[in-house]
Amino acid sequence: MIVHRPLLWVGVALTLLFAGGEEARAQFTEPCQAACALTLGASSFVFAMGTMATVGRMEGGYTTKTGPAITFAVAFFAASGAGLALNGNGDRQRRTIYGSALGAAGGALVGLAAESLIGEHDAASRWAATLVGGAIGVIAGGLLGTTLDGVTARRPELTVVIPPIAFPTGR
């Protein structure tokens, strides 16, 4: 019976929430096309895995078989929905999605390094810390990419002012 499958209901609810009248190709505005879609999917996967690891560590593990799947599904759809919500502004969408991917990589490295240096030193803890760091990096990189709207790279300008110097001549 479908009533006993909460993951299915969560999936149906999220699908209806993010369903729109536009075609799927319109979700990624120029110049953000297929590469953005793949990058968003990978970043959403990292975020969902990190969220699943975070909830599992905070609660001391999962008590049901569907708990991790529900956590994963909600986090994945939330992350991918955030990337899709930026359609209409292709440059901003591209910066945000690529920023989240770079943040995921950086956060995963920081999480792994931190756990290796000061953590429990077992493989499971390192893996969980890497996932949690990646999830935090997705958020940080995505926010940074979103806030860089309209920022262009310029050479820094340096103006040096030398005040006139007077030397006494002994007269």
Side-chain angles (χ1 to χ4, degrees), residues 99-112:
S100 69
L102 290 173
L109 288 174
V110 168
L112 176 63

Side-chain angles (χ1 to χ4, degrees), residues 84-104:
L84 292 176
L86 294 173
N87 67 344
N89 187 344
D91 289 328
R92 185 175 185 190
Q93 188 177 33
R94 183 182 61 196
R95 280 192 309 272
T96 301
I97 290 173
Y98 289 158
S100 69
L102 290 173

